[in-house]
Amino acid sequence: MALSGLDIYKLLPKTNCKECGFPTCLAFAMKLSQKGAELSACPYVSDEAKAALEAASSPPIRLITIGTGENKIVVGNEVVLFRHEKTFYHEPGLVVRVADSWEPEKIAEVVSQVDGYVVERVGMKLTLNGIAVENVSGDAARFVQAVQLVKQKTALPLVLMSANAAAMDAALQIVGPDKPLVYAATPENWQAYADLAKKYACPLAITDSGDLSRLGSLAEAVIKAGVADLVLDPGTRNLADSLASLTQLRRLALKKNLRLLGFPILAFAGGDDSTLEEQSILATELIAKYAGIVVLGRFDPTGIYPLLTFRQNIYTDPQKPIQVSPGMYKFGEPGEQSPLLITTNFSLTYFTVAGEVEGSGVPSWLVIADSEGMSVLTAWAAGKFDAEKIAKSVKSAGMDDKLGHRKLVIPGYVATLSGEVEEELPGWQILVGPREAVDIPSYLKTVWKAA
Amino acid sequence: MPVTVELPKEKWNGKVREITLGATPAQGGTRTSTVTVGGETTLPFLHFEGSIPHRPALAVEMQDVPPQDWSTTLLEAWDTAASDPVSWAKKAVELGADALAVKLRGTHPERQNRSAAEAAETVKAILGAVGVPLIVYGPEVAEKDNEVLVAVAEAAAGERLALGNCEDKNYRTIVAGALAHGHLVVAKTPIDVNLAKQLNILISDMGLPLDRVLMDPTTGALGYGIEYTYSVMERLRLAALMGDSMTQQPMICTVGEESWRQKESKVKDGVPSLWGDFAGRGPLWEMATAMALLQSGADILVLRHPKTIKTMRETIDKLMSS
């Protein structure tokens, strides 16, 4: 938790000696709180104050890296409970579980599909993030074979799941350099697992299917044994209990500054016996409410696409809304006589308009102007959606040979621009569309037809 | 050394208003069941911290005329039931609807342009066929909305229908109809905390008690602005729990309408193969939208697909058991 300038001031010598380069200790404290100065500039600061300030400046939820290279999963460092307060920073890793008890062909098939899964939304490529290999067989040799097979098929990060320390050690001998997540230390086996995590320098998950005090005790033991990079599995598996435990862990880290439990959370969204619907519902909750790693019990493209979309939505920075790429968008199979509409590239504006145009069933062309991510009215007021911009966007969309007409529908909120746009686009007829997107279908079916 | 972790609990001063839809014969209506929502004194499903006296309710969306623009996935699921409002209503109740959201699309001037009197007859017929409460929407054309909803309000006097939508530019006539005939209203605003508060104030200034106002913050579907709805709902709910009276209305979300409007739910061919199976995609899109909005405070989900109704009922069972 960041300290305020006054909190910092209380820790300083309060002698106003000016040796730090600031006129008073208070001014120095204020600058420190804004990260505009370094504490080392004060020659007289006490060790106690140093420790307090260092603790306050380290993140309340530790940043953890699983895997290496460009595919690595990086989670933690979250600072808020609600995304509108700032933003959620690190998207949870979505990991698909395979069992070493499966036939090798089945393991290879699932891993290849997970590895190759990519869908595109608003110009971003959405992918899955890793494979969890579970030692269901209990057999070390079989586990090692499965891990080897997975490693051949993908460069995605791994979660190694085994209750058998010997099996874990054997697997880590192969993939330890790839920094998999070791799952998991329990109150019974933690010493051996802490040793493995240290030996291979891998992050370690800890779990206790009891309460958070016991999880805290386990964290303390493992940290004292020298493991710094932890991931927490509170052991809750159903919707209501997971929501409660994940909310409590987030609050403990952020509001109570409890360093022992200030780590990303791993959670399971269903096992072998869950339906696709159950898995989707639980994973949706876990993405919204604080998971750092979500382990999916099954892979099914139909279920993956909504989850990747939801994760992208929730982790969008509320202060920097997604912008849609400017250009020409088609709805249905528009032809020469199809309507041509224009709006701005604020994502919500685009989605609202696109949804209505799509829903109208009238094949249409839609030009998206670069309004720097502003909605129609805001962009108009800011001069980012004026006659010149509209004309330029239409010209650069290259509609000349695609259209048999020269009619452009502009948003009703900028009706006042229609004359200017006609001047900018000689030979074009400018039609004023509805103010609200919801009226677009009716506009296209009646006014456009008659025009 | 054992660690003792004290579980953090917030102390909220506020409470969401309790609102009851529908009236039994003893209460002046004819409903055999009513729906009460709201009353929460904590964030969604945090049972360790406060009271959640009522489960979120499921309203099933239906129309007075067969839908023209619905996804084939939906049309196949409802099949012949959707050809007639009474059979549709009965089927929806069989599938577990706590309430029905009746859209009087047939009154739209560009559709069948049915009269207000015909619309009122349809609502009476549905009331006669099923015992659950109704939420009734006009054609969403301001003037016709007023005409239709006032006629419905009068014909169904005392039933505690919810009449929608009241919007900032068009609420007076609908509120007056609700006031005169013992109904509720749905106050809809475009994804904005202050506009939502303002409309609640305007409606309450007309004399309609706030325990008869549902708030629709406007739903953005998954992939189509859900993050805006999600955050506005969280902000509204936090404000309600912190004691801001004008944000304490239970929230209703038109999940079905928005998620089934999108390409993912409607378009079968010519989309990436990794979008998966078409028949399963639409319901999952609706379920994910519903689940996200339950987490941000939805009290009533308006749904379309039978599978979603079933899954969300089971989901709410699980979220309410603790």
Side-chain angles (χ1 to χ4, degrees), chain B residues 2 74 110 143 187 225 236 250:
Chain B
L74 284 170
E110 287 154 26
E143 273 177 41
L236 282 165

Side-chain angles (χ1 to χ4, degrees), chain A residues 11-12 39 45-54:
Chain A
L11 297 167
L12 295 178
L39 187 63
V45 68
S46 67
D47 288 345
E48 184 197 339
K50 266 187 205 160
L53 285 166
E54 268 163 27

